[in-house]
Amino acid sequence: MINKERLRIALQKSGRLSGDSFELLARCGIKIRSPKDKLFVHAENFPLDLLLVRDDDIPGLVMDGICDLGIVGTNVLEEAALERARNGQPGEYRPVQELDFGACRLALAVPEDFDYAGAASLNGRRIATSYPNLLRRYLARQGIAARVVALSGSVEIAPRMGIAEAICDLVSTGATLEANQLRAVETVFKSRAQLIGGTAPLAEPKRHAAEILLRRMEGVRAANESKYIMLHAPKAALADIAALIPGAENPTLLPLAGDQEKVAFHAVCAEAVFWETMEKLKALGASSILVLPIEKMML
Ligand code: PRP
Ligand code: ZN
């Protein structure tokens, strides 16, 4: 079952990061046909196996060398690293790539009727959280003496249950807080998804597979951040038009049939192209302005 020649990546089975993690692999051209309710899934067209687990287990799987790679939120990662340091366990990993999804923050939140006047209001209070290490570090840095109540889930109901006066939990859209009549008052940690690897060097052929996978992931990110822009530009305004397009190096210029005044201008733009930019391009005499998403990119 476990093949030492295949790369092994740990992904969240279900939750905030799982959809984007699977989509990232799909955009890297990796085909996974097996049902997602399995623990262990093989990619069909790439030497990669997926271990589908709870996000909290991902840092440990990578730190212990059971998986070569993992995609996990930096909140979970940092909490695991602090917990391991506390217990004297090895907690080494290599940050491989920041990913452009899973942005959220770990925040302190209090009931809407809590008379909150700055973090000092939490002195002597109980704060429920699934991130006791991150919270303790924050409280120590802020000089707040509060009691940390560690819960493994459903932290948002702790104030109503009388277990704590405040909570420290992840906030993404804010819907969970709102539904529980809580409001975020301080940011403890800003998180996003990250690709991590172990610190031990990979042996061939895994090393080669990892290199290809990482190059594709970088390509997906570059493609996400870029747009392809095409327009018809008056020859006289070419320099001004190029100056409006961020990162458009060496645009391609093509003649337009039956038009001596204008050329077709094609360029990869390093950022989103806003309506304001398109209006300015039009004011410079550009026409037929098209902005297209880029599916894949290799630089
Ligand atoms: C977090 C957190 C809240 C929810 C907040 O759970 O515990 O329940 O997300 O999101 P919202 O602001 O969009 O409502 P998480 O996804 O980490 O699940 P887990 O604790 O089971 O890993
Ligand atoms: Zn979790």
Side-chain angles (χ1 to χ4, degrees):
M1 180 76 165
I2 288 182
N3 181 331
K4 288 203 157 72
E5 309 246 294
R6 291 167 68 86
L7 266 181
R8 207 175 310 144
I9 187 167
L11 300 184
Q12 187 184 28
K13 188 188 185 69
S14 67
R16 177 198 317 283
L17 301 181
S18 45
D20 287 318
S21 302
F22 283 106
E23 195 191 314
L24 174 60
L25 290 183
R27 288 192 63 194
C28 288
I30 291 164
K31 285 211 171 73
I32 298 148
R33 199 183 292 152
S34 331
K36 286 178 188 163
D37 56 359
K38 282 207 223 151
L39 172 68
F40 203 60
V41 174
H42 307 284
E44 289 175 22
N45 56 349
F46 200 83
L48 177 74
D49 293 330
L50 281 56
L51 203 58
L52 305 180
V53 294
R54 289 187 49 211
D55 61 348
D56 314 62
D57 294 333
I58 295 173
L61 287 167
V62 174
M63 290 167 183
D64 292 335
I66 295 160
C67 289
D68 306 305
L69 296 167
I71 292 179
V72 68
T74 49
N75 56 314
V76 169
L77 184 60
E78 187 75 2
E79 176 67 22
L82 290 172
E83 176 68 19
R84 283 181 163 234
R86 221 164 84 102
N87 300 332
Q89 282 173 282
E92 304 241 297
Y93 67 92
R94 195 166 40 90
V96 179
Q97 196 182 100
E98 287 223 323
L99 301 170
D100 53 8
F101 56 84
C104 60
R105 64 188 176 119
L106 186 64
L108 282 166
V110 296
E112 273 156 9
D113 57 10
F114 189 109
D115 189 13
Y116 188 83
S121 308
L122 297 168
N123 266 312
R125 307 292 188 135
R126 294 167 301 171
I127 309 173
T129 189
S130 313
Y131 301 88
N133 292 291
L134 285 172
L135 176 57
R136 275 192 211 105
R137 183 174 73 181
Y138 173 86
L139 295 173
R141 285 178 181 169
Q142 303 290 318
I144 298 160
R147 220 173 91 210
V148 175
V149 181
L151 297 179
S152 58
S154 306
V155 165
E156 62 277 3
I157 64 167
R160 262 184 293 146
M161 303 279 288
I163 299 169
E165 287 74 44
I167 68 164
C168 171
D169 201 9
L170 280 193
V171 182
S172 160
T173 60
T176 303
L177 291 186
E178 201 185 310
N180 290 281
Q181 288 96 49
L182 297 164
R183 66 188 168 105
V185 288
E186 308 289 344
T187 296
V188 171
F189 188 84
K190 283 196 180 132
S191 179
R192 64 188 301 153
Q194 192 168 43
L195 176 71
I196 58 166
T199 48
L202 293 176
E204 297 293 357
K206 277 191 183 186
R207 192 206 57 81
H208 183 64
E211 189 183 307
I212 294 173
L213 182 62
L214 294 188
R215 197 185 303 139
R216 289 189 190 176
M217 284 186 176
E218 272 159 28
V220 169
R221 191 171 59 171
N224 282 348
E225 287 170 357
S226 305
K227 294 284 173 269
Y228 196 78
I229 185 160
M230 306 198 292
L231 52 86
H232 293 176
K235 286 177 182 166
L238 276 174
D240 290 339
I241 285 174
L244 275 179
I245 299 173
E249 280 176 57
N250 306 331
T252 306
L253 302 179
L254 301 163
L256 282 177
D259 188 337
Q260 297 303 312
E261 303 301 309
K262 285 185 169 180
V263 287
F265 174 111
H266 292 193
V268 173
C269 175
E271 296 168 15
V273 178
F274 297 104
W275 284 108
E276 289 77 3
T277 309
M278 292 176 71
E279 279 149 17
K280 286 182 193 157
L281 290 167
K282 189 143 185 68
L284 286 170
S287 54
S288 305
I289 307 168
L290 297 180
V291 178
L292 310 173
I294 295 174
E295 194 190 81
K296 293 187 179 71
M297 195 158 164
M298 200 176 281
L299 298 171

